[in-house]
Amino acid sequence: MPAEFRFKALLDLRRQQRDEAAASLGQASEAIAKVNAQIDEIKSERVNLRDQDDVNRQGDVSVDALLAHGRYDLQLQADIGALKSTVAELTVEMDRRRVKLVDAEAELKRFEKLKENDEAGFRALESKRENAETDEVSSRRYILQRQR
């Protein structure tokens, strides 16, 4: 039966930190996907607006309607710009979280390697003890047989 790993609590903590870092990275990725979906929706709305403008330009043209459509299109462009800025900020945050995840993975691997080394040392020590016991038993049997 292997001995209890002396840093088991730290190993468990490192695993938990790794899992939290992975979840955090996933949240950042989801946020970027949501903002990109919003950008796509606005772009689609702009295309629909342009198509609608083309239809409205046939026949009587209302200057007020054209100005309103123009202002609305500018507002949509501004919204896209703001969302792209948000994506840039989220990308920076996602990169920071990715680095944190890589660091957490590396730290976890260090502790897992330490655990493997401890287990290998324990197995070697147990094997050495078993060999010593076997040698002792063999020696006793030999001595008993010689004495007969």
Side-chain angles (χ1 to χ4, degrees):
M1 180 173 147
E4 182 74 20
F5 180 53
R6 59 187 169 179
F7 298 118
K8 183 179 183 331
L10 286 173
L11 178 63
D12 293 341
L13 177 66
R14 295 298 187 246
R15 282 189 180 128
Q16 181 182 357
Q17 288 173 340
R18 187 252 343 246
D19 294 344
E20 289 172 359
S24 177
L25 179 62
Q27 289 171 346
S29 180
E30 288 175 10
I32 289 174
K34 286 179 183 177
V35 173
N36 282 331
Q38 289 176 341
I39 290 172
D40 291 341
E41 287 176 22
I42 293 173
K43 285 180 178 179
S44 173
E45 193 171 339
R46 284 190 71 214
V47 167
N48 290 339
L49 183 65
R50 274 190 235 119
D51 291 345
Q52 189 179 13
D53 275 348
D54 291 343
V55 170
N56 287 341
R57 288 189 183 155
Q58 297 172 353
D60 292 338
V61 177
S62 169
V63 175
D64 289 336
L66 287 175
L67 287 174
H69 281 291
R71 282 192 293 266
Y72 185 59
D73 188 46
L74 287 174
Q75 180 59 47
L76 292 177
Q77 286 177 344
D79 290 347
I80 289 172
L83 289 173
K84 284 184 177 181
S85 173
T86 301
V87 167
E89 292 171 8
L90 288 172
T91 301
V92 168
E93 178 64 19
M94 189 170 83
D95 290 341
R96 186 187 67 76
R97 291 178 182 191
R98 183 174 289 119
V99 167
K100 186 176 178 181
L101 176 60
V102 168
D103 291 344
E105 283 282 351
E107 190 67 21
L108 177 62
K109 285 183 182 184
R110 281 188 210 110
F111 277 94
E112 287 175 342
K113 185 67 174 172
L114 183 60
K115 181 180 179 184
E116 288 173 13
N117 290 342
D118 276 5
E119 288 173 350
F122 180 78
R123 283 191 303 272
L125 185 60
E126 285 295 306
S127 178
K128 189 175 179 181
R129 284 182 192 154
E130 288 174 6
N131 288 339
E133 286 177 21
T134 304
D135 289 346
E136 182 67 27
V137 169
S138 295
S139 295
R140 286 184 184 170
R141 283 186 184 162
Y142 179 75
I143 292 171
L144 286 174
Q145 285 179 355
R146 291 207 83 194
Q147 289 176 353
R148 289 186 189 175

